Amino acid sequence: MNLRRKAVIANEEEIRRVVQRIAHEIVERNKGTTDLALVGIRRRGVPLAERVQEAIRGIEGVALPLGVVDITLYRDDLRTISPQPLVHSTELPFEVEDRVLILVDDVLFTGRTVRAAIGALMDYGRPRAIQLAVLVDRGHRELPIRADYVGKNVPTSRKEIVEVEIVEEDGVDRISIIEPEEEER
Amino acid sequence: MSFRRRHLLGLEGMSRDEVLDILATARSFRQVLDRPIKRVPALQGVTACNAFFEPSTRTRLSFELAEKRLSADTINFASGGSSVSKGETLRDTVRNIEAMRVDVVVIRHGASGAPHFLARNIDGHVINAGDGFHEHPTQALLDLYTIQEELGRLEGLKVTIVGDIAHSRVARSNLWGLQAVGAEVTLVGPTTLLPAEIEKAGVRVKSRLEEALDGADVVNVLRLQLERMRGGFLPSLREYAATWGITRERLALCSPNVRVMHPGPINRGVEISDEVADSRESLVLDQVTNGVAVRMAVLYLVRGGRGNGAERIPAQEGSGA
């Protein structure tokens, strides 16, 4: 199946502004930074969480604690995939108990990744609250999950793929919609 | 991910990448053991049966704990208190276990090749927890893991395995695993307990302990199986301790940064002195903790395996390799 880049919906500059806005919203909603911690979902949620951390430092002068969650062992499809996905580490260099955790990911789609991430975090303690920040919400939820902070709402068809590229992982900052090309007959 | 096996039957023939996949996965599971909630849902809904046809405390508990930490349901089966003592064959026992809809069978058996037999005859996944004199792959994997954690690498390390090599499945699995990752293996022990033609496996074999310890980075001390004393393999325990026991003085011959391992249970004062067993260099208790993480990794990984991997039948062996 050939894939085609249908549209670029955000470039480096736009992603920067979106992260900046999300940082402002997080501080505003939580009335400051007390008890907040950021948690990036591997992989692309991690550099995004670092950017949010940097943006909040710029606004409030506070460096929020930052963690990384690997959801592999909490996926609901482990029974059906082969070979098993590599398990990476979860690193939460702070007490989860009683904190307000801001989960950060690139794309919110079915909601299954977020469900798994919440399960993983709960096994480290009882946070006071978990909030969700995503760069893109593309719809098509399969679970009752919604984001608290959304960079861009992008209506998509199920067939399309939302590709988020981040300098740290992919060498470029870009959000694109990719679609499968029609088969030639 | 290079590891795509459906079963873990042995380390012979396993590639470097497969071994490293298991160790890398174990590292992530090791972290789970330090969390407040030491359990992940990766094997939810999976039933594991620990079928131990030979006595074992440590290995069985370690597997059981690993299964529970992965949220699997576990059942235990030990030959002492079961129908095996009533003359049931391995095949019948296994059919019965399978009829209980078990997904993973962890088997320890006195006959070399029993796990392979099982793998050919059931639908589930099979993990070898020690078969005869053949292999004990998870013990070797936890040894490799412990060395890597402690010394930061495996490749190029000099590992000396001391003791009853001929009857040791631990030695055999260690040898394959260590060779796969590029460590240099030296075997040493009384000539009556060294298998014939073991050099063909590509290891150094020494008959003098002092020579084998020279510059060693790791000394893996095998348990002297006291039941072997009756077979006329050894003159006396005291003589064994004097000639082959790992003591402080002998440790001085090794690399200054040497580490000592033992698969347990320890015969203190026989194959290893009290002083060494409790020393700073001893990794015995790390091995036990790491064993749970390594077994979690193996249980997790075989669940994703689709190939059979039971095609190879191990050579029938007496005391040899």
Side-chain angles (χ1 to χ4, degrees), chain A residues 25-37:
Chain A
E25 287 178 3
I26 290 171
V27 175
E28 184 189 5
R29 159 101 58 114
N30 294 289
K31 300 182 172 59
T33 55
T34 313
D35 294 337
L36 291 189

Side-chain angles (χ1 to χ4, degrees), chain A residues 83-95:
Chain A
Q84 297 287 61
L86 271 179
V87 185
H88 295 281
S89 59
T90 289
E91 289 149 24
L92 300 173
F94 47 80
E95 284 291 321

Side-chain angles (χ1 to χ4, degrees), chain B residues 166-183:
Chain B
H167 300 103
S168 175
R169 51 197 178 206
V170 174
R172 216 161 259 110
S173 287
N174 255 285
L175 181 164
W176 303 127
L178 287 164
Q179 284 190 326
V181 296

